[in-house]
Amino acid sequence: MTKLFFIFILVTSICYAQHNEFDKYGPFGSQVFTDLKVALDVEKNVYKMDLSYKKLEPKLYAKLSKLKDLQALKLSGNEINTFPPNFGELYNLLYFASYNNEFTSFPADLKKLGNLNYLEFFGSKIDSIPSDIAYLSKLKTFKFSSSNDTLKLPITLKYLKNLKDVTIENCVLDSFPKELFKIPNLNFLNITNANVFYVTKHFERFTNLEVLVLDGNQLQTLPFDIYKAKKLRFLSVKNNHLQKMPDTICQLENLTVLDVRGNGFSKEYIEELKALLPGCEIRF
């Protein structure tokens, strides 16, 4: 298997998995409930529920925690901004995603959701990730996007030893969050359109990172230390303000794809990059 084919499979499979995570959870062939009232009437053996674009009656919404068997829950466009009481009682929940609901905070009893594998918020009004996220010891994927507030990350992220996939998009970050460097097994990191002006060093801590996406930020330089992310295979820095890459990039022996479109790279410098990275596909 060639390196290029490997990276294509890697990125494609990650993207595919992210878009189809909901389908992965719950017993094979289990019913997907789309009506909260019907699900509450059944109560037992309700494993999957997609309430997208449903108007949720407050009295019914308050009873959501009765669905103790629930493993996958998707909310979208429900015009809600708070979690129901005792949301943490859904202790069997493996997947939770909310799209375009204006939540202002995480569940108060977040620490009870220790079985979560996948957690996503899109279009919320949350401005900080609580330190209690450290209790989600089985979390593998965390995605947070489309918030107008400056996002603050907790130092407790370092305790998430199973976390491999982090995406932060269309948010405001003051800088590349140093907390991400401390996540021990991070494999995929996407920070896009996050107003990042510079990236701090310590890339030696990214011992397992294979995919790094930093598109649509305000970067003018990348750190010399980037070569220390030895397993990096795919690097995208599209639509920044870079004039060149650090010379140490030539030491990334596993780098297979480098995407530099939308920067200020001259044709002469692209040729120089090709010489520095003879086994790498450079997209410009």
Side-chain angles (χ1 to χ4, degrees), residues 3-17:
K3 285 185 177 180
L4 184 59
F5 182 71
F6 177 88
I7 198 67
F8 174 79
I9 293 297
L10 174 67
V11 176
T12 301
S13 62
I14 289 173
C15 293
Y16 179 84

Side-chain angles (χ1 to χ4, degrees), residues 15-50:
C15 293
Y16 179 84
Q18 288 178 339
H19 287 293
N20 294 275
E21 286 289 315
F22 179 80
D23 296 334
K24 291 170 54 177
Y25 295 104
F28 180 75
S30 55
Q31 179 181 351
V32 178
F33 287 82
T34 59
D35 188 303
L36 181 55
K37 185 178 186 304
V38 171
L40 288 168
D41 287 341
V42 176
E43 192 169 320
K44 300 293 184 182
N45 301 320
V46 176
Y47 299 109
K48 305 182 67 159
M49 190 159 57
D50 182 353

